[in-house]
C-alpha cells in the first residue's frame, strides 16, 4: 500500500510542476496601444517628393481567445481560430503564447514636385494626396508575427492634402505650394498590405550592465490600386532596458501600433533608451503616386525605378509604457528624373495602457 501511494504521488508531481512551470513562463497579456506617427522631409530642411505622412492609430489589447473579433480576423493569419495545418503554414505553430490583436488607423500621405509652379511640371513628382482608413489584424508569438492591413481611402481634393499643407505652412510662416490644382484626380483607393516578422535570436544578447541588443527581419507583399510591390528588411537595436518595442514601423506599408512579438519577461526597468539602424529594399510593379490613378485618366509625369532601397538610423526613449522615437531614413531615387535620393525625418509617440 505504501509503495502504491508513493508511486501515485511520484506520477502526480511532474504534472503539478509542469502546470506551475507553464504558468510561470506564460507571457502576460498586453494592453491596448495608441500611437501618433509623423514622417516629414522638413526635419532635414527639404520640402518635395514624399513631403509628409501622418498616422493616428489604435490597437486592441492582446487575447488568446478564439471567439473574439481579434480571433476571427486573425484566422487568415494563423491565429487561434485557424486549423492546425493552416497555423503551421503561417508559421504560428509550436507556441503556447499565441496572441491576436486588431486595430484601426487614419493615415494621410502627401507628395509634391521639386519646384513650385502653378502649372504641371512634368519629369517631377506629381501633386498627390491620399487619405485612408485602415483595419489591421496582428497575430504573433515570441519569434514570429503576421500583420495584414486593409486600407480604403481617396485621392484628390477629398484627401484634404491641400488644406493640411496650407494650414501647416501658414502656421509656421512657410511659403505655400501653389500647384495643388494640378494634383492627381480623385478616386477611391483600396490596398492590402501583408508583412511577416522574424525575431533574430542570434543577435539578441543581454549584458550584466543592462546593455542589450536585439534584431528583427521581415518580408512584405502589397497589392491594390495604390501599391503592388514586395520586399524585405531588417532592424537592429542596441541600448539599455530595451523592453517590448520595435523601431521598424513605416506608415507607407503594413504596420501596427503594437509591438510585433510576444514578450515574456516579467521584470523590466521603468526606463530604457536605444539606438537603431534599419535597411530595406522593395521591388515595385505599380505605384499610384508615380504612375497615376487607376480608374481615372491622369497625365504621365515620371518613369519610376522598379527597385527602391531605404536605410536609416535613430534613437528611442521609453519610460514605463510610453515611448518616443526619432530617426532619419534615406530612400534611393524613386523615378529616373529625380534630382537625388531623399531623406525623411520620423517621429513616433506610443503609449500602452
Amino acid at each position: 500500500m505504501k509503495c502504491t501511494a508513493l508511486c501515485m504521488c511520484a506520477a502526480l508531481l511532474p504534472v503539478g510542476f509542469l502546470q506551475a512551470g507553464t504558468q510561470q513562463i506564460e507571457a502576460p497579456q498586453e494592453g491596448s496601444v495608441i500611437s501618433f506617427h509623423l514622417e516629414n522631409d522638413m526635419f532635414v530642411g527639404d520640402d518635395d517628393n514624399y513631403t509628409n505622412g501622418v498616422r493616428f492609430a489604435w490597437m486592441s489589447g492582446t487575447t488568446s481567445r478564439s471567439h473574439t473579433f481579434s480571433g476571427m480576423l486573425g484566422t487568415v493569419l494563423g491565429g487561434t481560430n485557424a486549423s492546425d495545418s493552416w497555423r503551421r503554414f503561417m508559421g504560428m505553430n509550436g507556441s503556447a503564447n499565441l496572441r491576436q490583436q486588431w486595430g484601426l488607423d487614419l493615415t494621410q500621405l502627401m507628395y509634391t514636385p521639386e519646384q513650385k509652379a502653378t502649372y504641371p511640371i512634368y519629369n517631377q513628382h506629381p501633386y498627390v494626396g491620399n487619405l485612408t482608413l485602415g483595419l489591421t489584424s496582428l497575430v504573433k508569438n515570441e519569434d514570429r508575427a503576421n500583420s495584414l492591413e486593409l486600407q480604403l481611402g481617396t485621392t484628390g481634393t477629398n484627401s484634404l492634402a491641400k488644406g493640411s499643407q496650407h494650414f501647416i505652412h501658414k502656421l509656421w510662416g512657410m511659403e505655400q505650394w501653389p500647384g495643388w490644382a494640378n494634383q492627381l484626380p480623385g478616386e477611391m483607393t483600396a490596398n492590402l498590405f501583408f508583412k511577416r516578422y522574424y525575431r533574430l535570436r542570434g543577435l539578441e544578447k543581454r549584458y550584466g550592465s543592462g546593455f542589450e541588443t536585439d534584431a528583427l527581419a521581415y518580408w512584405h507583399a502589397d497589392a491594390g490600386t495604390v501599391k503592388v510591390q514586395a520586399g524585405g528588411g531588417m532592424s537592429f537595436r542596441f541600448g539599455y532596458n530595451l523592453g517590448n518595442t520595435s523601431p521598424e514601423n513605416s506608415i507607407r506599408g503594413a504596420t501596427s501600433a503594437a509591438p510585433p512579438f510576444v514578450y515574456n519577461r516579467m521584470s523590466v526597468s521603468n526606463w530604457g533608451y536605444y539606438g537603431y539602424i534599419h535597411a530595406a529594399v522593395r521591388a515595385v510593379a505599380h505605384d499610384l503616386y508615380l504612375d497615376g490613378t487607376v480608374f481615372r485618366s491622369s497625365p504621365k509625369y515620371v518613369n519610376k525605378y522598379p527597385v527602391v532601397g531605404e536605410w536609416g538610423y535613430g534613437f528611442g526613449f521609453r519610460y514605463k509604457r510610453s515611448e518616443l522615437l526619432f530617426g532619419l531614413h534615406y530612400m534611393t531615387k524613386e523615378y529616373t528624373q529625380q534630382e537625388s535620393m531623399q531623406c525623411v525625418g520620423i517621429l513616433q509617440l506610443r503609449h500602452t495602457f
Side-chain angles (χ1 to χ4, degrees):
M1 292 292 292
K2 291 181 179 179
C3 181
T4 303
L6 288 171
C7 288
M8 290 179 63
C9 290
L12 289 173
L13 276 174
V15 176
F17 279 118
L18 282 174
Q19 290 175 343
T22 301
Q23 291 174 355
Q24 289 174 1
I25 65 173
E26 183 179 359
Q29 298 288 351
E30 302 166 26
S32 58
V33 182
I34 57 171
S35 68
F36 168 75
H37 194 124
L38 175 67
E39 297 181 347
N40 197 297
D41 56 358
M42 281 301 295
F43 285 116
V44 292
D46 208 351
D47 197 15
D48 55 26
N49 293 306
Y50 176 49
T51 186
N52 188 70
V54 62
R55 169 172 289 184
F56 297 92
W58 168 86
M59 289 289 288
S60 71
T62 61
T63 179
S64 55
R65 296 170 56 195
S66 301
H67 302 296
T68 61
F69 189 61
S70 296
M72 289 185 289
L73 283 182
T75 302
V76 70
L77 299 177
T80 54
N81 236 358
S83 65
D84 291 341
S85 58
W86 183 250
R87 193 177 302 119
R88 190 178 305 110
F89 177 77
M90 296 302 293
M92 291 293 109
N93 61 313
S95 171
N97 288 322
L98 191 60
R99 300 287 189 261
Q100 302 151 138
Q101 293 171 272
W102 75 278
L104 296 170
D105 61 75
L106 182 66
T107 305
Q108 184 187 62
L109 302 180
M110 190 183 306
Y111 298 82
T112 58
E114 295 176 336
Q115 297 175 340
K116 295 180 174 69
T118 57
Y119 51 85
I121 306 177
Y122 297 98
N123 297 328
Q124 293 189 25
H125 204 299
Y127 283 90
V128 194
N130 192 19
L131 181 66
T132 64
L133 180 64
L135 173 65
T136 303
S137 177
L138 178 66
V139 175
K140 60 187 180 181
N141 59 29
E142 298 94 335
D143 295 302
R144 291 189 181 183
N146 293 323
S147 173
L148 182 67
E149 180 171 5
L150 170 64
Q151 286 188 1
L152 301 177
T154 180
T155 59
T157 56
N158 289 333
S159 71
L160 307 179
K162 175 184 176 181
S164 298
Q165 189 183 62
H166 180 82
F167 172 76
I168 295 299
H169 281 221
K170 184 177 181 180
L171 183 67
W172 293 98
M174 300 163 59
E175 184 180 359
Q176 297 290 346
W177 284 80
W180 277 102
N182 306 304
Q183 67 179 305
L184 294 186
E187 71 173 25
M188 298 298 294
T189 62
N191 229 88
L192 276 173
F193 299 91
F194 173 81
K195 184 175 286 185
R196 165 76 62 86
Y197 292 95
Y198 300 90
R199 189 174 184 174
L200 301 180
R201 291 285 190 177
L203 296 176
E204 185 175 288
K205 299 183 183 299
R206 299 178 198 167
Y207 301 87
S209 61
F211 185 80
E212 300 179 59
T213 62
D214 66 12
L216 63 82
Y218 66 90
W219 63 266
H220 66 92
D222 315 321
T225 63
V226 180
K227 297 277 189 179
V228 179
Q229 61 182 12
M234 176 181 170
S235 289
F236 177 75
R237 296 192 307 167
F238 50 93
Y240 289 86
N241 306 317
L242 297 182
N244 191 18
T245 58
S246 170
E248 192 289 306
N249 206 19
S250 172
I251 62 177
R252 287 163 282 126
T255 187
S256 67
F261 302 117
V262 172
Y263 198 64
N264 55 17
R265 286 172 62 185
M266 297 298 182
S267 178
V268 182
S269 174
N270 284 335
W271 60 271
Y273 57 90
Y274 59 86
Y276 77 88
I277 54 176
H278 171 70
V281 65
R282 53 190 169 92
V284 186
H286 168 70
D287 186 340
L288 178 147
Y289 307 126
L290 296 172
D291 297 328
T293 47
V294 175
F295 302 109
R296 299 186 63 179
S297 61
S298 58
K300 180 72 172 179
Y301 281 84
V302 296
N303 297 312
K304 70 175 183 299
Y305 283 117
V307 178
V308 177
E310 182 172 341
W311 64 93
Y313 57 90
F315 64 89
F317 175 79
R318 177 184 58 82
Y319 179 69
K320 292 185 178 179
R321 297 186 177 185
S322 298
E323 182 184 7
L324 168 68
L325 177 148
F326 180 78
L328 295 176
H329 283 213
Y330 297 83
M331 292 174 283
T332 61
K333 293 181 181 180
E334 296 187 275
Y335 56 93
T336 56
Q337 300 88 350
Q338 190 172 346
E339 289 185 357
S340 62
M341 68 178 185
Q342 186 174 16
C343 180
V344 175
I346 294 176
L347 177 68
Q348 179 180 302
L349 297 169
R350 177 165 59 191
H351 178 75
T352 303
F353 291 94

